[in-house]
Every structure is written in C-alpha cells, then in structure tokens.
C-alpha cells in the first residue's frame, strides 16, 4: 500500500496525506465514540483532487470513509475497531468549503467541507438562514454531514436536512466509480470538467435549472409535525420518506456538493422560558401550540433539571469559550485538544488530562447563567425554551399569560442576554456529558446515549425507568427537540456494570412505547440499521466500498457475511476496481 500513499501524495501534496497513529488521531477517533486504524488520512483541496483521490483508492481496493468535521455522536465518520478485510483511507473534506449563492441567496450550493456556521454567516447579510443555525453549528458541523445523516436540528418548521439535488460519486455493482450530477446545473459530461466548474463557480444562470419535481428541503414537514394524533414519529433516521441519494446516505456515497433551500430570517423574535413540575403540562402546551397557533415556533427545546445541572457545571468552559471567542474558533480548539490528548495517551498518561484541566479552570470563573434561569432550576424539574418569531411572538405571549402561573408551572419572557444563554446552555449539554465521563473515571463505566423519536400522539412522554435499571445508572440526562418529540436520553453507567446489556434493556422499553431510534444522529456504529435503511445502503453502495460497517452492517467486500447477501455485485471474487 506504499504505492497508494505515494500516489495520494502526488494528488494532494505530501503535507495533506497523514499517516501514523498520532498524526491521524483526531480524524480516526470520533468526537464521542469510534476509533480504529487507518492506512492514511487524505485532505484534498479541490473537488478534482477529491475525485482523483477516490479514483486511486477504488483502484487500490481500499475501504473509504468520507469525513467532514467529525463532530458526530455515534462514530459514523470514523472506523469501528477491527474486522475489516481491507485497509481504510479517510478522505477528510474540510479544505473544500466554498459556498455558492443561487437566486439571490434563496438557494445555495455547499461543498462537502462547508460548515453550518460558515453558511449562517454568509446568509446573515441577506436576511436568510440555513436549515440549522444553533446546536451542531456550535462545534463546526458540516452542511453535507447534516444531509447525509438526515439530521433534524432544532428548528421546528424545517424538518430533517434533505435535498434531492446533489453531486456525488458512487461505486457501481461492477466496481466502477461514477459521477452523478443531480445539482440541476449542466456544465458538461466529463467528471473533471463538471467538478472544476462547480468548484470555481464558473457557471451562469443559463446553466441553472429550477426543476419543480426536485426538492432542496423538506417542504412537507410544517404540516407533518402538526399531526399530533399520528401514531408514527415526526422524523427519524430509518424513515424511507426522506432517503434519497445523498440524503440519509451516511457516507455510502462520496458527496462533492449539495444544493439547498435557505429560509427568510424571522423578525420580532422572542424567547419564553417555561418551567413545570408536571410533564403533562408541557405536553398540553405542545399539542395546543401545534394544533392551534397560526405560527409554528422557531424552536422548542426541552431540558430536564439534570441536563441543566450537567451543562451548567461541565459545559461551562464551552459556553464561555463560545461567548468570548465565537463558534468559528470551536473546531480549532477541539483540534488542539485532540492533539494534546494524543500526546498524553502516547506518554501513557491517558486521554482525559485536558478535560480534567479544563474542568478545573472552569471552576475559577464566576456564575455564568442568568439568575432567573437558576431560580427556575430550583423551582422546576422540567424546562421548555420556546422561541417564536414574526406574529408568533404576540400569539405565544398572549397564550402563556392566559395559562400561567399554574399550580405546577410558570414562565417568563427572556431579555436578549437570557435568551442567548438559555439556548447556549441547552446546546452545551452534549459536550458536558462527555466531560462528566472524563472526570469521573472511577465511578462511571461509560455513556449509553439514546437518540429517540416518540410517536406524535404520545402523551406520557417522560421516561420512568424500572428500578433494576435505575440502580445501575450513576447519572442520567434528558433533553430534546420537544415539539418534534425527539429526545436525547443519556445514561452514565455505574462502574462495573454492563453497558451493552443496559442499552439493550432500554431498547426494549422504547420498542414497547412505539419509539424509533436513532432519531437524527444516524446509526453510526452504535445502532443496528433497520431493514429499510440497510436496503438503502446496499442500493447506494453494492460493493460496500464506502463507510463499511455503518449501522452494524458487514465490514466486508460486497456485504459478505450479511444474511441476505445475494449476488449484488461482480467484485466478490474479482477484487479489481475500474474507474469510469
């Protein structure tokens, strides 16, 4: 394989081909989960370089993992231990981050390394927004990663990240690499000509089509989410209604660009902070707003008191970093942290020293959350952050003033500082749970993280665990996108307990409630891909070249070892790839 490494160096430059455990650590080790050996990490700087890299890897018969920011929570953009029958090459896309505006910014074309934060900044002067503007954007998540994962995001009206307009490469059943151009921009037939034109934006209006039958967002979701009596969840990763080529592909194709709708930014935005000690009260609010309001909320984020506590204590440094240095610098900070952790691991000191140091430093700073929020933490177990815009602000204000105070709850309207702090504290939760695990190695075995979509008609939504499971949990956290009934439930398992057994017991409880999981973080290497999702993956990638093993599927060529392994391709006995 030294010949392949040399060829990749010729394509992208030697400094952009990384080998060795330390140099590749931050690319092959997941943000929260996942790790494994790789032959190399390649960082192409143009779409043509990306194509040539893929050609070389396919010809050399290696497995390929396409990766952007590596901020996923289920290990879906990294290797998963061993068991592969080929070397793995990670193709990291972050150097290719150009964004092209179409139709005065009503649509965009995003390269695979462009981030939500970059897109948000690009659109802000135009009074428009991308699919997601909070949450994952804080840690540098890519636009394309959201599409490939059908990520839901916190913005209620926009549904899962979705497009039918993408430029991507896939390996056919005969082992050929082919380019598929469904961007709606005609710039020729030769792959390198197409890619160079899209890369440089060298196309004009006459070459851009706006086909009515190809969507660049989920146009139905605003109506779908309002159907509160439906027995199915509003959105979840295994839902075939939003599987289309790159959308939901989980890396089973190599994406060069996606075309997406943008959205007009709301005016007259208001944030209302609701506290309650009765989960049924929040469910009543959800149903009444979704069925009775003319204006859907922008966002409605739930936090249990335990999530509030975890984020307040263990997410404090992330909160303060974003406040003072902005989201632009968060990916850089994570990269530095990963390098430090790699060095300390190599020295035999473990990989959590940076977390313990940062946690100690964070305690030196004064209280960072507003007083009224902390008061509600003391009074109420359940917190709902309701963001409204345009006419919805007045609508929500009148509704809440008529409903509260109640016997079990109350609300206040946030000022600008409180509103910003409330949502930033909510979205520091994910990192806070990782930090909790890092600084409690003697009491915590590991994290069991569930990403759950409840049926839209669920009334008793708040989980109550059987005592035999409860006794095995050191700390649990609940938060989520409440109006979509998507909940993130995380359990820090007591030292010495069997995490896998606990996870399977939790799955049984969810199955009994009619829940789907995962809801939006995708299967990664934590969840079993359900039959519809497996079929989708196999159709996209019959040779199992891209991201093998995703969804606990086969890691082997042509899906060898799968129970339903029909002869889907010609390469099982002929391990030679050709390139179209």
């Amino acid at each position: 394989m030294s010949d392949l490494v040399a060829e990749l160096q010729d394509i992208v430059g030697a400094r952009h081909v990384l080998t060795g455990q330390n140099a590749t650590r931050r690319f092959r080790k997941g943000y929260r989960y996942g790790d494994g050996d790789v032959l190399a990490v390649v960082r192409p700087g143009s779409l043509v370089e990306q194509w040539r890299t893929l050609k070389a890897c396919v010809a050399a018969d290696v497995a390929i993992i396409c990766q952007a920011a590596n901020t996923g929570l289920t290990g879906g953009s990294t290797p998963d231990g061993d068991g592969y029958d080929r070397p793995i090459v990670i193709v990291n896309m972050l150097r290719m981050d150009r964004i092209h505006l179409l139709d005065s910014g009503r649509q965009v074309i995003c390269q695979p390394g462009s981030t939500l934060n970059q897109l948000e900044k690009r659109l802000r002067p135009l009074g428009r927004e991308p699919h997601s503007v909070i949450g994952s954007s804080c840690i540098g998540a890519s636009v394309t990663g959201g599409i490939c994962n059908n990520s839901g995001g916190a913005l209620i009206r926009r549904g899962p990240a979705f497009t039918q307009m993408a430029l991507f490469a896939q390996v056919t059943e005969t082992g050929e690499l082919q380019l598929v151009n469904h961007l709606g921009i005609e710039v020729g037939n030769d792959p390198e000509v197409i890619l160079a034109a899209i890369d440089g934006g060298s196309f004009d209006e006459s070459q851009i089509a706006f086909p009515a039958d190809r969507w660049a967002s989920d146009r139905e979701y605003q109506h779908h989410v309002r159907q509160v009596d439906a027995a199915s969840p509003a959105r979840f990763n295994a839902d075939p209604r939003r599987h289309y080529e790159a959308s939901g592909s989980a890396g089973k194709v190599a994406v060069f660009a996606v075309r997406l709708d943008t959205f007009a930014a709301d005016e007259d935005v208001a944030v209302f902070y609701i506290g309650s000690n009765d989960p049924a009260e929040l469910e009543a609010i959800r149903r009444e707003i979704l069925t009775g309001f003319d204006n859907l909320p922008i966002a409605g984020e739930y936090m249990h008191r335990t999530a509030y506590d975890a984020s307040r204590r263990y997410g404090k440094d992330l909160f303060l970093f974003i406040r003072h240095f902005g989201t632009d610098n968060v990916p850089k900070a994570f990269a530095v942290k990963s390098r430090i952790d790699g060095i300390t691991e190599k020295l035999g000191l473990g990989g959590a020293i940076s977390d313990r140091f940062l946690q100690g430093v964070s305690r030196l700073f004064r209280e960072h959350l507003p007083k009224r929020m902390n008061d509600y933490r003391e009074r109420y177990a359940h917190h709902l952050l309701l963001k409204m815009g345009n006419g919805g602000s007045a609508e929500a204000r009148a509704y809440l003033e008529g409903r509260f105070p109640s016997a079990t709850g109350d609300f206040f309207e946030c000022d600008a500082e409180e509103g910003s702090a409330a949502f930033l504290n909510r979205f520091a939760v994910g990192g806070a749970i990782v930090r909790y695990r890092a600084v409690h190695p003697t009491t915590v075995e590991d994290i069991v993280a569930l990403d759950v979509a409840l049926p839209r008609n669920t009334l008793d939504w708040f989980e109550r665990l059987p005592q035999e499971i409860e006794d095995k949990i050191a700390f649990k956290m609940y938060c989520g996108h409440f109006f979509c009934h998507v909940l993130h439930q995380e359990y820090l398992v007591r030292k010495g307990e069997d995490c896998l057994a606990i996870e399977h017991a939790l799955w049984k409880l969810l199955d009994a409630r009619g829940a789907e999981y995962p809801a939006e973080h995708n299967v990664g290497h934590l969840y079993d891909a359900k039959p519809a999702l497996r079929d989708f993956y196999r159709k996209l990638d019959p040779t199992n070249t891209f991201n093998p093993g995703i969804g606990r599927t086969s890691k082997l060529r042509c899906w060898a070892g799968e129970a339903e392994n029909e002869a889907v391709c010609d390469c099982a006995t002929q391990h030679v790839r050709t390139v179209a």
Side-chain angles (χ1 to χ4, degrees), residues 232-313:
S232 62
R235 55 181 170 87
F236 57 99
N237 286 134
D239 188 353
R241 63 188 288 274
R242 288 299 169 257
H243 295 164
Y244 192 91
E245 298 178 342
S247 295
S249 63
K252 298 304 288 183
V253 297
V255 179
F256 293 88
V258 293
R259 180 170 167 179
L260 303 170
D261 291 331
T262 67
F263 306 87
D266 285 272
E267 298 178 355
D268 186 28
V269 174
V271 175
F272 302 93
Y273 203 103
I274 302 166
S276 179
N277 288 315
D278 183 4
E281 184 169 43
L282 295 189
E283 179 59 28
I285 290 170
R286 170 184 170 270
R287 295 176 68 88
E288 289 166 7
I289 288 177
L290 287 178
T291 58
F293 275 34
D294 292 331
N295 300 275
L296 278 177
I298 299 171
E301 290 298 299
Y302 169 74
M303 292 184 80
H304 188 264
R305 177 185 281 150
T306 57
Y308 188 100
D309 290 344
S311 189
R312 181 184 184 185
R313 182 172 181 181

Side-chain angles (χ1 to χ4, degrees), residues 49-281:
E49 285 186 2
Q50 180 185 345
W51 172 254
R52 292 174 179 171
T53 295
L54 296 174
K55 286 173 63 176
C57 289
V58 169
D61 188 32
V62 297
I64 303 167
I65 297 177
C66 295
Q67 178 192 86
N70 192 19
T71 59
L73 301 182
T74 58
S77 58
T78 63
D80 177 42
D82 51 22
Y84 299 90
D85 58 354
R86 298 147 289 172
I88 298 170
V89 171
I90 292 177
V91 183
N92 182 274
M93 311 295 193
L94 285 183
R95 293 179 63 213
M96 299 173 292
D97 60 357
R98 296 179 185 85
I99 296 171
H100 303 303
L101 303 181
L102 306 180
D103 192 22
S104 301
R106 292 178 180 85
Q107 289 190 331
V108 291
I109 291 176
C110 294
Q111 290 190 356
S114 59
T115 67
L116 285 167
N117 184 53
Q118 288 173 313
L119 182 56
E120 182 182 352
K121 290 173 64 177
R122 184 78 181 274
L123 293 174
R124 188 177 294 130
L126 305 177
R128 301 194 70 80
E129 295 177 341
H131 172 269
S132 296
V133 297
I134 50 179
S136 54
S137 57
C138 292
I139 55 175
S142 70
V143 176
T144 299
I147 292 294
C148 292
N149 289 329
N150 280 150
S151 296
L155 303 187
I156 296 167
R157 308 168 195 160
R158 301 176 192 176
F162 176 74
T163 187
Q164 294 175 318
M165 309 183 79
L167 177 64
F168 61 93
Q170 62 185 153
V171 177
T172 68
E173 61 185 23
T174 58
E176 298 179 3
L177 183 72
Q178 67 175 14
L179 187 69
V180 179
N181 180 12
H182 287 162
L183 275 182
I185 300 176
E186 298 301 326
V187 286
N189 296 312
D190 180 78
E192 293 200 3
V193 171
I194 295 170
L195 293 167
I198 299 301
D199 200 348
S202 53
F203 48 84
D204 57 41
E205 292 184 4
S206 66
Q207 296 170 297
I208 306 172
F210 291 87
D213 60 342
R214 283 190 179 268
W215 294 2
S217 63
D218 186 347
R219 301 176 186 174
E220 297 175 337
Y221 191 75
Q222 290 197 33
H223 308 289
H224 186 72
V225 74
R226 284 186 183 267
Q227 296 169 13
V228 297
D229 292 318
S232 62
R235 55 181 170 87
F236 57 99
N237 286 134
D239 188 353
R241 63 188 288 274
R242 288 299 169 257
H243 295 164
Y244 192 91
E245 298 178 342
S247 295
S249 63
K252 298 304 288 183
V253 297
V255 179
F256 293 88
V258 293
R259 180 170 167 179
L260 303 170
D261 291 331
T262 67
F263 306 87
D266 285 272
E267 298 178 355
D268 186 28
V269 174
V271 175
F272 302 93
Y273 203 103
I274 302 166
S276 179
N277 288 315
D278 183 4
E281 184 169 43

Side-chain angles (χ1 to χ4, degrees), residues 3 45 102 111 161 181 267 276 294 369 458 521 536 538 550:
D3 290 345
L102 306 180
Q111 290 190 356
N181 180 12
E267 298 178 355
S276 179
D294 292 331
L369 296 180
T458 300
H521 290 159
F536 180 54
R538 287 165 64 91
I550 195 76

Side-chain angles (χ1 to χ4, degrees), residues 363-374:
R363 294 173 182 167
L364 301 178
F365 294 92
R366 62 180 177 83
E367 175 60 53
H368 61 296
L369 296 180
K371 182 179 185 301
R372 283 202 292 183
M373 286 171 53
N374 287 335

